[in-house]
Amino acid sequence: MQKKIIIANWKMNPARASDAVALAKKIDRIAAGCPKAEIVVAPPALFLPSVGAVLKKAQLGSQNVFWKNEGPYTGEVSPAQFASVGVRYCIVGHSERRFFLGETDDMVNKKIHALLDHDLTPILCVGERERFNGEVPETVGKQIAAALANVKKSRLKNLVIAYEPVWAISTTRRARPAHPDDAFRASVYIRKIIAGMSGVPVARDMRIIYGGSVNAKNIAAFLGDGRMAGALVGSASLDAKEFSAIVRIAGKSR
Ligand code: PGA
């Protein structure tokens, strides 16, 4: 049985490097006490080396990447540069980047290829903007198909897909977490799209996690009834106590 993966997406927090290191130390202690869950910490890029230096058990993740390895790309960071400071995972296509930075499906696709070329594990974020009733919106399928275009089947096992309905992300107005049954339904739909692209075995083994207002109260239902392989946690990952509770529940979840 694969371990549940819990990813701490700190977004543009905290304000200072010293606070980032202090939080990372606490999270690493949590990870050390809970070997049955896999923990990834994704701090702002600037703090990656100092956070990486204190992580012994938790893995390091970045929140973005550029698709070229060198050249005149002001402000960007390459996959090789991330790898050189110990990054193993990378969040790609987060709805905040799609919305605020104009990240397109084509850019997401290039980033996925670049990451896989450097043995970094992409955490591909997909999700609809409007709450749905019944069928999972086609936008989710389109995001997946575009993001994974021309990715070899044999490489897909190194990918994590995060289903993150935008309306459920805690910073969205009137956000509410998805119902675990809806998250499960979305995961079935995502597997169907992947099966169509890459075959049933790849789709069956794909790690699909949930993100959107995850906390210590609702995580058990997402991992249990929702049958998610883990969670992408934003706000609650900045609170060591809350995050610790989430990780402990994930460690016990089968
Ligand atoms: P949230 O964020 O847990 O604060 O809703 C999740 C995310 O945006 O990755």
Side-chain angles (χ1 to χ4, degrees):
M1 188 83 191
Q2 194 150 35
K3 289 181 187 179
K4 302 290 182 191
I5 183 167
I6 305 293
I7 300 154
N9 177 12
W10 289 359
K11 308 193 179 182
M12 206 170 70
N13 302 291
R16 288 166 215 280
S18 55
D19 293 336
V21 169
L23 181 58
K25 281 184 182 160
K26 285 185 195 162
I27 290 188
D28 201 58
R29 273 200 295 274
I30 296 165
C34 201
K36 289 201 172 125
E38 189 177 346
I39 314 302
V40 178
V41 181
L46 183 63
F47 301 153
L48 280 166
S50 48
V51 164
V54 300
L55 296 183
K56 304 281 177 279
K57 296 290 178 206
Q59 311 260 19
L60 197 57
S62 66
Q63 299 175 13
N64 183 32
V65 69
F66 193 59
W67 57 83
K68 295 270 193 185
N69 239 347
E70 53 184 21
Y73 305 107
T74 303
E76 295 297 331
V77 182
S78 74
Q81 288 169 330
F82 279 127
S84 78
V85 297
V87 167
R88 301 273 307 279
Y89 288 84
C90 176
I91 299 169
V92 195
H94 192 282
S95 59
E96 286 151 13
R97 294 200 57 82
R98 293 179 192 261
F99 185 72
F100 294 113
L101 282 305
E103 195 156 297
T104 63
D105 283 334
D106 179 51
M107 288 154 81
V108 171
N109 178 247
K110 286 182 184 152
K111 291 178 183 199
I112 300 259
H113 280 278
L115 289 167
L116 293 171
D117 284 346
H118 289 85
D119 294 326
L120 294 166
T121 301
I123 299 155
L124 166 63
C125 299
V126 295
E128 74 287 350
R129 301 206 80 83
E130 304 293 334
R131 186 181 283 270
F132 65 90
N133 255 330
E135 299 285 300
V136 181
E138 264 179 31
T139 40
V140 176
K142 286 191 183 137
Q143 286 171 340
I144 303 252
L148 301 183
N150 301 316
V151 176
K152 280 207 191 95
K153 199 155 105 167
S154 59
R155 292 173 125 194
L156 285 176
K157 60 177 181 304
N158 300 321
L159 194 103
V160 176
I161 294 182
Y163 170 61
E164 286 214 314
V166 180
W167 49 266
I169 293 178
S170 68
T171 44
T172 307
R173 262 182 80 225
R174 288 198 288 268
R176 266 197 292 140
H179 192 285
D181 293 347
D182 288 335
F184 175 66
R185 237 179 318 146
S187 75
V188 170
Y189 171 75
I190 290 169
R191 280 190 217 285
K192 217 192 277 171
I193 301 283
I194 293 178
M197 294 175 76
S198 308
V200 172
V202 174
R204 192 190 46 216
D205 294 345
M206 180 64 69
R207 282 197 283 179
I208 301 177
I209 66 175
Y210 168 79
S213 298
V214 169
N215 57 35
K217 286 203 184 83
N218 61 28
I219 182 71
F222 284 112
L223 302 179
D225 298 346
R227 283 176 262 176
M228 294 286 129
L232 182 52
V233 186
S235 304
S237 72
L238 297 167
D239 175 340
K241 246 176 141 180
E242 183 81 11
F243 193 69
S244 163
I246 291 172
V247 169
R248 267 186 279 121
I249 292 165
K252 286 189 199 132
S253 175
R254 287 290 153 266

